[in-house]
Amino acid sequence: MLLLVPLLVSGCSGVFFYPMKPWAQNPARQGLDYEDVILIHPDGLRLHAWWLPARGGSVATVYYLHGNGENISTHLANVQWMPEQGFNVLLLDYRGYGLSEGSAELPEVFDDIQLGLDWLVASGRAEGQPIILFGQSLGAAMGTRVLARPVNEDKVQCVVFEGAFASYRDIAKDVMGRSWLLWPLQWLVVPTLPPRDWDPENNIAALASRPLLILHSLEDPVIPYAQGERLYHAAEAPKLFQPLRGGHGQGTRDPAVRARIVDFLRDKACLGG
């Protein structure tokens, strides 16, 4: 716990970003075809991503945004089932994660997500099929802000979030409030956190034209279930909230949850083919 103190007082990056550089695995070890993708920022920063092609004909392309810890190699398990179901998948590592250069900061990571989305659209990899943004935890929060930009109105057709939170400041205060050691430091940390207009709950209504599925575990030990409900209530229709069981960001490891996601996307005309 003492190790968290300097991270927390360093500002929003210390609170929200916990990158890991080494890979734990690669898609080939899971029997998946893949391609390394390098994206170049205008300032020369290099970002790394994996492209997983669908097996057979594709029905849609998933743009996957992982949570705050580790890198795409440890989050692969959340999407490795998708190519078999006809989904192409682009997994992006934000700056500072895995092979991506730089250091994770907000709002710069918003630009990383935008860069990946722009590449996906411009590259033609989606082959005219729908693009689905799938964000987990912090990835969902940041993805909401990026998708709310008017320039992205027609780039993503459907959205799936798991374990998302409604407010950066409120979730940070919640985490700090669980510890007697960190609770007194809130007055130092809160002023450094992202402003309220970056909060998912203040941006999610802008996604109204896109069908939205929010999944959240009743037992989530990291992001309280109430945060997911709060985000759902701030969203506009068409939307669906799906309670889950189990740990944080682990829902898609359950075949029943995978089937629920595919059913939602099919029902909302989010699948081509």
Side-chain angles (χ1 to χ4, degrees):
M1 188 65 71
L2 286 172
L3 293 176
L4 287 176
V5 175
L7 289 173
L8 287 166
V9 299
S10 69
C12 64
S13 296
V15 174
F16 292 107
F17 296 111
Y18 295 87
M20 182 176 80
K21 300 303 288 184
W23 285 355
Q25 62 173 330
N26 67 26
R29 294 182 181 176
Q30 303 304 316
L32 296 169
D33 295 331
Y34 80 103
E35 178 185 341
D36 289 301
V37 175
I38 302 299
L39 307 176
I40 310 295
H41 272 274
D43 62 4
L45 192 72
R46 297 163 61 89
L47 299 183
H48 175 260
W50 280 334
W51 172 259
L52 311 180
R55 290 180 175 170
S58 66
V59 297
T61 294
V62 173
Y63 183 25
Y64 175 67
L65 304 177
H66 64 72
N68 72 335
E70 301 172 339
N71 58 47
I72 53 175
S73 73
T74 58
H75 292 276
L76 177 63
N78 297 312
V79 295
Q80 66 185 45
W81 59 277
M82 289 183 166
E84 187 67 33
Q85 296 291 321
F87 296 96
N88 303 310
V89 185
L90 179 68
L91 302 87
L92 175 72
D93 257 338
Y94 322 119
R95 61 184 65 200
Y97 287 76
L99 298 185
S100 293
E101 298 175 342
S103 177
E105 302 276 355
L106 287 176
E108 287 82 357
V109 174
F110 295 146
D111 295 333
D112 299 347
I113 294 170
Q114 183 71 56
L115 185 67
L117 180 58
D118 289 343
W119 177 85
L120 189 55
V121 172
S123 69
R125 296 293 184 103
E127 302 176 342
Q129 303 286 12
I131 295 176
I132 300 158
L133 188 138
F134 176 28
Q136 291 184 305
S137 193
L138 180 63
M142 298 188 298
T144 302
R145 176 70 174 173
V146 173
L147 284 188
R149 294 172 174 172
V151 70
N152 294 325
E153 184 175 0
D154 298 321
K155 293 179 180 176
V156 168
Q157 284 66 58
C158 299
V159 181
V160 178
F161 288 154
E162 182 186 1
F165 56 84
S167 166
Y168 289 97
R169 294 188 175 215
D170 291 352
I171 195 61
K173 287 192 289 186
D174 179 85
V175 171
M176 296 181 73
R178 300 174 199 173
S179 166
W180 65 267
L181 179 62
L182 299 180
W183 180 84
L185 299 176
Q186 293 186 55
W187 70 274
L188 285 172
V189 176
V190 170
T192 73
L193 297 178
R196 290 288 185 185
D197 62 354
W198 294 3
D199 279 349
E201 67 180 353
N202 292 328
N203 287 271
I204 200 164
L207 280 56
S209 63
R210 286 151 282 198
L212 169 67
L213 172 62
I214 295 181
L215 309 106
H216 209 113
S217 174
L218 290 155
E219 303 158 351
D220 194 320
V222 179
I223 307 296
Y225 183 77
Q227 283 276 327
E229 289 185 308
R230 181 171 149 188
L231 184 61
Y232 174 77
H233 290 308
E236 301 286 345
K239 61 180 181 177
L240 178 68
F241 188 86
Q242 177 64 60
L244 304 177
R245 294 285 182 180
H248 178 65
Q250 299 178 0
T252 57
R253 304 184 190 193
D254 181 345
V257 175
R258 299 174 185 175
R260 185 71 186 91
I261 293 172
V262 174
D263 287 346
F264 172 83
L265 295 174
R266 183 180 296 111
D267 290 346
K268 300 301 182 183
C270 299
L271 303 182

